[in-house]
Amino acid sequence: MMKPKVVGYLRRDISGQRTRRHEMEIRAMAKSSGFDLARTLVAGPTAPASLAALLTVVGRVGAVAVITPALDHVQFRADDIMAVCALITLDSQHLPPPGIVGRRPAASSHPGFPGPACLPWQR
């Protein structure tokens, strides 16, 4: 059985000297959570364009989630990401539990995996 795919995302201007460590932490979280990390995007300070590219990659690989170090890496676009997949942050260590919410968007290559998760700050 194929593991659900996830995409890592971080902004170099926010991570700074921790960029490499954040990449390794994203990889480790994906692996320990049973995900297949399809790709990690490291963006510069032009977040809106970079987030559009992220959404394109998510759709292309059929990712069920985006893993990012913290919400500030996705800024005000968290809702856009959660409209198509779950959003997991390293700082909250929140993982979307299987079967807890909604349905996957129709484009999912993993129909048994839940769609956007109810994250702690949405309650």
Side-chain angles (χ1 to χ4, degrees):
M1 186 168 145
M2 287 180 46
K3 294 179 181 179
K5 293 186 185 302
V6 294
V7 173
Y9 179 81
L10 62 103
R11 284 187 35 196
R12 185 177 285 115
D13 58 317
I14 295 173
S15 288
Q17 293 181 344
R18 299 169 299 170
T19 298
R20 187 106 169 94
R21 188 180 85 206
H22 282 159
E23 287 183 80
M24 292 186 327
E25 288 174 356
I26 288 169
R27 193 171 18 259
M29 177 180 266
K31 184 177 182 179
S32 69
S33 303
F35 294 121
D36 174 15
L37 182 63
R39 186 164 175 202
T40 298
L41 299 176
V42 180
T46 56
S50 299
L51 283 163
L54 170 64
L55 295 176
T56 299
V57 171
V58 164
R60 227 177 249 154
V61 303
V64 298
V66 169
I67 301 176
T68 191
L71 278 181
D72 57 346
H73 287 259
V74 296
Q75 293 181 327
F76 58 91
R77 302 291 300 273
D79 287 342
D80 295 337
I81 294 167
M82 290 187 294
V84 296
C85 67
L87 179 60
I88 302 168
T89 60
L90 294 176
D91 61 354
S92 73
Q93 298 264 325
H94 177 80
L95 294 174
I100 208 147
V101 288
R103 58 177 176 76
R104 225 7 237 147
S108 171
S109 59
H110 304 285
F113 196 83
C118 179
L119 300 177
W121 55 85
Q122 294 178 307
R123 292 188 183 128

